[in-house]
Amino acid sequence: MLIPLNGTSRITEIETRFTALFGMQPTILVRAPGRVNLIGEHTDYNDGFVFPAAIDRDVLIAAAPRTDRQVRAYALNFNQSSTFTLEDIQPATEGRERWSNYIRAMAWVLHEEGLGTQGMNCVTLGDVPLGAGLSSSAAMLVASGLAFAAGAGLELEPVRLALLAQRAEREFVGVNVGIMDQFISALGQKDHALLIDTRSLTYEAVPLPQSGVTIVIADTNKKRGLVDSEYNTRRAECERAVEILKESLPEIIALRDVSLADFERYADRLPEETRRRARHVVTEDARTLESVTALKAGDITRFGQLMNESHYSLQHDYEVSCRELDAMVEAARSIEGVYGARMTGAGFGGCTVSLVATEAVEKFQQEVPALYKQATGLTPAIYVTTAAQGAQRLK
Ligand code: GLA
């Protein structure tokens, strides 16, 4: 399904196909990347901290405004077209046009927020693996937002763009996500991960080591079946924990406000399962902040340990891992030179992220797939990645 082309040839491909389909040149070209979260999982809807990087895989959209109120879209990944009118934006229910819901969602949110929209011809081409937990949907939303903004002559601040994309996903697509994925897709910086405070929406770009260490993503190729319903259940459990802890800590608004010490003091007031959920969030926020301190001090070993601890907590306290993610993490850690490995994203399938000594990457690529296949019967995909720039208008 994916069309693996490098940057320049993908641009040539999308522009050529646009011209062939619409009989005109595209006047707009935008890109928005997927992401990998290094640490800080399931903290963003608790007002906490996350530490993701944009990856070198993205969604490209070539577009040209139309004089009417129609949007005509074509997805090269599916060889499918989809048309809708800006006068009455409805979700596509037809299975083969579902990809267009992200474009529809962005048009809808721009309209809802009183920002202009303009009819448009567009072609999309993505190489973010779909449904793998690398935020192909956030990339599609952010890229669509940029394309519509360009078409209507709107200047959107990147944080605003991220918030619009989040609202679009929540209210139009119907998944109650946090802000991490859209934020990093819109604001990512080359060679950096961003420490994002998801409450204030401020962030710090932290440089990643440019030699010696490599980020390796491993896709379990396990489809993330349960993710939507379990995601919403976890959110509700976190809210429940806040309600109960508020009786002892009236000033808290979200789990982010609960210190480790306060958690220890009052944890026994929570039912057992709620307690484990809350413990994950409270400890994950602390790990995320500590991991950034470690990284800045050049202590990759500590960073890796914190990634491992994060996985353990997601596995046992938050219970969003699965057999395949655990097997991949175990396979990764068996390779000498792996500093740490954990699941990344919402869980229940999708990908792991490992921090690997660069000289061990080849061995990782050779050995992890076989170990993983032995354990699960599934063939994984390995992506060696670098931190990429966030969304951009290229033309
Ligand atoms: C998904 C959501 C994010 C975040 C992660 C878990 O990717 O879109 O907002 O909650 O799960 O960290």
Side-chain angles (χ1 to χ4, degrees):
M1 196 81 84
L2 296 170
I3 303 173
L5 295 166
N6 67 35
T8 327
S9 46
R10 287 172 69 231
I11 290 175
T12 311
E13 160 93 3
I14 197 171
E15 294 197 323
T16 311
R17 295 293 298 273
F18 183 97
T19 308
L21 281 159
F22 296 110
M24 58 165 91
Q25 299 281 334
T27 53
I28 296 164
L29 182 66
V30 297
R31 59 168 283 277
R35 64 100 186 89
V36 64
N37 190 21
L38 299 180
I39 194 163
E41 216 65 83
H42 288 280
T43 48
D44 65 349
Y45 50 85
N46 292 294
D47 280 2
F49 299 94
V50 293
F51 194 49
I55 56 172
D56 54 6
R57 285 172 170 260
D58 59 24
V59 169
L60 289 172
I61 300 184
R66 294 173 59 93
T67 48
D68 62 12
R69 302 284 291 154
Q70 295 241 321
V71 175
R72 293 183 176 230
Y74 192 91
L76 290 179
N77 295 83
F78 307 110
N79 283 322
Q80 289 289 343
S81 63
S82 186
T83 298
F84 64 95
T85 165
L86 293 168
E87 299 304 330
D88 178 26
I89 306 168
Q90 298 294 334
T93 45
E94 181 93 22
R96 56 202 171 86
E97 285 184 43
R98 288 257 167 81
W99 56 269
S100 72
N101 281 338
Y102 299 103
I103 303 175
R104 292 165 191 249
M106 277 319 280
W108 173 84
V109 79
L110 288 164
H111 173 77
E112 281 292 300
E113 303 223 357
L115 299 159
T117 45
Q118 164 91 35
M120 184 165 89
N121 293 331
C122 64
V123 174
T124 70
L125 176 62
D127 65 2
V128 187
L130 302 177
L134 298 175
S135 294
S136 57
S137 42
M140 186 74 169
L141 287 164
V142 170
S144 305
L146 270 186
F148 277 117
L154 283 173
E155 285 288 336
L156 285 179
E157 286 294 317
V159 175
R160 179 88 197 273
L161 176 61
L163 286 166
L164 289 168
Q166 183 197 23
R167 182 171 174 206
E169 186 147 5
R170 280 188 173 173
E171 295 181 32
F172 193 89
V173 182
V175 188
N176 198 12
V177 291
I179 189 67
M180 169 168 72
D181 307 345
Q182 300 78 9
F183 197 99
I184 189 67
S185 181
L187 285 107
Q189 290 187 17
K190 189 172 162 34
D191 301 332
H192 292 72
L194 302 192
L195 174 64
I196 305 167
D197 177 336
T198 66
R199 170 174 282 163
S200 64
L201 298 184
T202 53
Y203 65 95
E204 182 187 350
V206 183
L208 293 168
Q210 284 314 293
S211 63
V213 196
T214 301
I215 301 171
V216 182
I217 296 168
D219 187 349
T220 59
N221 275 325
K222 157 93 191 319
K223 285 288 157 242
R224 299 178 307 150
L226 287 169
V227 70
D228 291 353
S229 62
E230 290 294 329
Y231 190 86
N232 288 333
T233 313
R234 293 300 180 283
R235 284 190 80 123
E237 288 174 293
C238 291
E239 279 161 25
R240 176 92 188 107
V242 172
E243 251 170 61
I244 299 172
L245 290 171
K246 241 181 194 308
E247 290 162 17
S248 317
L249 299 162
E251 70 289 358
I252 65 168
I253 295 168
L255 284 176
R256 181 259 176 80
D257 301 310
V258 181
S259 67
L260 283 170
D262 276 344
F263 182 75
E264 291 303 325
R265 198 164 306 136
Y266 301 115
D268 60 0
R269 313 208 167 163
L270 300 170
E272 194 271 336
E273 195 174 271
T274 314
R275 180 161 65 228
R276 282 188 289 117
R277 305 296 189 244
R279 183 167 61 198
H280 165 71
V281 176
V282 172
T283 57
E284 184 78 351
D285 270 333
R287 277 187 292 273
T288 304
L289 294 174
E290 194 194 335
S291 73
V292 173
T293 308
L295 186 62
K296 285 184 186 164
D299 190 350
I300 308 296
T301 303
R302 181 67 190 138
F303 193 97
Q305 282 166 356
L306 289 161
M307 289 175 80
N308 291 343
E309 285 172 25
S310 167
H311 186 82
Y312 188 88
S313 177
L314 288 157
Q315 188 182 4
H316 298 285
D317 277 352
Y318 218 60
E319 293 182 283
V320 291
S321 186
C322 60
R323 198 169 67 83
E324 292 79 3
L325 285 166
D326 296 343
M328 189 76 86
V329 158
E330 202 183 305
R333 288 181 195 156
S334 75
I335 306 295
E336 202 180 323
V338 170
Y339 289 99
R342 56 182 288 279
M343 54 158 274
T344 184
F348 297 101
C351 292
T352 64
V353 58
S354 303
L355 223 51
V356 185
T358 303
E359 71 263 16
V361 170
E362 221 180 287
K363 190 157 191 250
F364 187 110
Q365 285 174 295
Q366 277 162 6
E367 294 184 13
V368 170
L371 289 169
Y372 174 75
K373 188 162 186 185
Q374 220 167 39
T376 62
L378 295 172
T379 305
I382 310 283
Y383 308 109
V384 176
T385 193
T386 53
Q389 191 63 27
Q392 288 162 298
R393 182 171 179 186
L394 302 171
K395 185 184 205 174

